[in-house]
Coordinates of all heavy atoms in Angstrom, one line a residue:
P11 N 9.1 -3.7 -3.7 CA 9.9 -2.5 -3.7 C 9.8 -1.8 -2.4 O 8.8 -1.6 -1.8 CB 9.3 -1.7 -4.9 CG 8.1 -2.3 -5.3 CD 8.0 -3.7 -4.7
V20 N 19.4 4.1 7.6 CA 19.7 2.7 7.8 C 20.7 2.5 8.9 O 20.5 1.6 9.7 CB 20.2 2.1 6.5 CG1 20.5 0.6 6.7 CG2 19.2 2.3 5.3
L27 N 19.3 -1.8 16.5 CA 19.4 -3.2 16.6 C 20.4 -3.7 17.5 O 20.2 -4.5 18.4 CB 19.6 -3.8 15.2 CG 19.8 -5.3 15.1 CD1 18.5 -6.1 15.5 CD2 20.1 -5.8 13.7
F29 N 21.8 -2.0 19.9 CA 21.4 -1.5 21.3 C 20.4 -2.4 21.9 O 20.5 -2.9 23.1 CB 20.9 -0.1 21.2 CG 20.5 0.5 22.6 CD1 21.5 0.9 23.4 CD2 19.2 0.6 23.0 CE1 21.2 1.4 24.7 CE2 18.9 1.1 24.2 CZ 19.9 1.5 25.1
E42 N 18.7 -10.0 10.0 CA 18.3 -8.6 9.9 C 19.5 -7.6 9.7 O 19.5 -6.7 8.9 CB 17.4 -8.2 11.1 CG 17.0 -6.7 11.1 CD 15.9 -6.4 10.1 OE1 15.5 -7.3 9.4 OE2 15.6 -5.2 10.0
Y43 N 20.5 -7.9 10.5 CA 21.7 -7.1 10.4 C 22.3 -7.2 9.0 O 22.7 -6.1 8.4 CB 22.7 -7.5 11.5 CG 24.0 -6.8 11.4 CD1 24.2 -5.5 11.8 CD2 25.2 -7.5 10.9 CE1 25.4 -4.9 11.7 CE2 26.4 -6.9 10.9 CZ 26.5 -5.5 11.3 OH 27.7 -4.9 11.2

Side-chain angles (χ1 to χ4, degrees):
V20 180
L27 175 63
F29 182 77
E42 177 70 4
Y43 175 73

